Amino acid sequence: MSAPAPRDRSLIDHTGRSYFPIAFIARLPFAMMVVGVLTLVVSATGSVALGGLTSAAVGIGTVIAGPLVGDAVDRLGQRRVLVPLGLVNSALLAAFPFVVFSGSAEWMLLLSALLIGLSAPQAAAMSRSRMIAIIGNLLSPHRRERTFSRTMAYESAADETAFVIGPVVVGILASFIAPWAPIAGAAVLSFVFVTAFALHPTARAGAGTHADAGPAEIAPARELLRAPVLVLVAATFAVGMFFGSTLTSLTAFMEEQGDVDSAALLYGLMGIGSAVLALAVAVLPARFALRWRWLLFSGVLAVATLGFTLSGSVPAVTVMLCIMGLGVGPTLVTLFSLAGTRSPVGRSATIMTVLGSAMALAQSLAAAVTGAVAESVGAGAAMVLPLVAAVLAFALGVVNLVVERRARVASSSVAAVPASVPAAPLRAAVE
């Protein structure tokens, strides 16, 4: 019996079974960076505010470099960009503990953190872009819709799981070895697994006949400034605010409880329900449109975060963190699924890195602001900021309804296709 034609094969037939574990572990350095930097600086200096500023510098570097990296990948291919980035990032992470413990000036800490952010490879965004291209290039049309939905759910769940494991690993290494151990571990993971991810054969498969040179046609950058895209950038920024303010306010709260090293472990609990619900989104019916999922799950997030804000004990905070995870995971799945459907032609890597950068920047800026509030006013005041971020994510879901309605009325172009139909972005990824 002859082998099935390429377009009749499943996604995993095209990626190989090694791809998913490599791509998952390649996410961990990015997931560990902000938490690791925050934990190390707070432990070494005793200043939550300086720790927040330093982690903010990581996010600022990420947001500066993210769109440039995405554009370079869309033009040059992932291998040519990710290999040098992974090596440079590994070296900078390895050097950071020496900078912290050498008694360097604060500006040196901030500069080192900025360089770490500038060199962050963002494997999660690259994996999403790679999968979108492979689905569009290599899968048969009857497989695309279901595979796209499941893949976006998996990618978001993988992100959530990485952001669970990342803080847990940081907490374990910091508690049982030393505060510098998480950053050293991230350096090793970046050196080994980001390089392996960059060199994996799927880096070529996603580019179709053009191999590693990128797509034949790339939409102008101004296409990224359309309202349907900008509302997603704003929403991922809000989710990043939620992550950063939650982590830092939780750190301040646990510092008041005399157990700051457990903050990362408690923060990781939030991601358990988040990852499970993110995967569960894949089984939701297509008629449950993404715009309504956004409102539902961000609403759950806002209500649970209100409970977190009002909590005054470790057990109550722990329960609220678990419930918050039930809202944030599916919200992220929805946002990145919408981004896949609204990606301009040949710009899938760019839009994914823009969203990832927006989230990282917001996470770091929120960490800095929350750290300053915690240090000057107290942990109770800092715990209000995650609620602000959650409410903003919900409000932007309402804005998205207006944007979609106007787009449908204005034209029947690709940007106006209902978010639950993934055919348009798949064409955009390969045309």
Side-chain angles (χ1 to χ4, degrees):
M1 182 179 294
S2 60
R7 286 179 177 267
D8 289 331
R9 297 163 63 195
S10 67
L11 178 64
I12 200 167
D13 289 331
H14 290 290
T15 63
R17 296 187 181 278
S18 67
Y19 172 78
F20 292 99
I22 290 173
F24 176 77
I25 299 175
R27 288 169 158 87
L28 290 179
F30 192 79
M32 295 169 65
M33 282 177 195
V34 173
V35 183
V37 165
L38 177 66
T39 301
L40 175 59
V41 173
V42 171
S43 296
T45 67
S47 173
V48 176
L50 179 59
L53 284 173
T54 310
S55 63
V58 176
I60 291 171
T62 300
V63 80
I64 292 172
L68 301 177
V69 170
D71 183 71
V73 165
D74 281 327
R75 296 179 184 277
L76 302 175
Q78 292 194 13
R79 287 186 173 183
R80 297 176 186 175
V81 178
L82 291 184
V83 170
L85 272 182
L87 297 177
V88 170
N89 186 249
S90 176
L92 290 169
L93 285 168
F96 187 71
F98 295 98
V99 176
V100 173
F101 289 112
S102 66
S104 301
E106 290 184 3
W107 70 267
M108 281 292 294
L109 295 181
L110 297 176
L111 177 60
S112 298
L114 178 69
L115 293 174
I116 289 172
L118 286 171
S119 61
Q122 298 195 37
M126 297 302 159
S127 181
R128 281 188 175 89
S129 173
R130 197 179 292 188
M131 292 299 97
I132 289 173
I134 291 174
I135 291 168
N137 277 332
L138 303 178
L139 265 63
S140 58
H142 75 274
R143 285 184 178 269
R144 289 178 186 171
E145 182 173 353
R146 178 178 288 271
T147 303
F148 177 80
S149 176
R150 290 179 173 179
T151 302
M152 289 300 101
Y154 165 77
E155 290 289 331
S156 293
D159 284 348
E160 287 299 308
T161 305
F163 275 98
V164 172
I165 294 176
V168 170
V169 171
V170 169
I172 292 173
L173 294 178
S175 298
F176 293 98
I177 300 179
W180 54 263
I183 294 296
V188 173
L189 291 176
S190 184
F191 178 79
V192 175
F193 286 95
V194 171
T195 303
F197 173 76
L199 296 177
H200 194 273
T202 53
R204 292 182 180 274
T209 59
H210 299 280
D212 213 31
E217 181 183 353
I218 299 179
R222 64 176 179 272
E223 289 296 311
L224 297 171
L225 301 179
R226 296 180 296 109
V229 174
L230 292 178
V231 71
L232 298 178
V233 176
T236 52
F237 189 90
V239 173
M241 287 174 56
F242 170 80
F243 283 131
S245 58
T246 300
L247 171 61
T248 311
S249 62
L250 178 62
T251 301
F253 175 78
M254 293 305 295
E255 186 179 42
E256 290 185 354
Q257 306 298 312
D259 191 15
V260 67
D261 288 340
S262 296
L265 294 173
L266 286 179
Y267 182 72
L269 291 176
M270 183 177 68
I272 296 175
S274 181
V276 172
L277 264 291
L279 284 173
V281 168
V283 303
L284 292 175
R287 63 180 179 273
F288 186 11
L290 293 175
R291 58 184 177 273
W292 300 119
R293 297 181 194 182
W294 181 346
L295 289 177
L296 172 63
F297 293 115
S298 62
V300 170
L301 177 62
V303 172
T305 307
L306 175 61
F308 171 81
T309 300
L310 299 176
S311 298
S313 66
V314 174
V317 164
T318 302
V319 171
M320 288 301 108
L321 286 170
C322 293
I323 299 175
M324 288 154 68
L326 302 181
V328 72
T331 300
L332 268 184
V333 173
T334 301
L335 294 176
F336 279 105
S337 295
L338 283 169
T341 68
R342 297 175 184 179
S343 175
V345 175
R347 288 286 184 178
S348 61
T350 304
I351 194 170
M352 293 302 172
T353 51
V354 166
L355 264 61
S357 296
M359 189 159 59
L361 174 64
Q363 181 178 10
S364 298
L365 291 178
V369 172
T370 307
V373 171
E375 196 157 284
S376 60
V377 184
M383 292 170 73
V384 175
L385 299 180
L387 178 60
V388 174
V391 171
L392 178 59
F394 178 82
L396 287 166
V398 177
V399 173
N400 179 67
L401 292 180
V402 177
V403 169
E404 285 196 11
R405 186 176 296 111
R406 288 180 177 177
R408 288 194 297 269
V409 170
S411 70
S412 58
S413 63
V414 170
V417 171
S420 59
V421 182
L426 300 179
R427 290 197 300 272
V430 300
E431 285 180 354

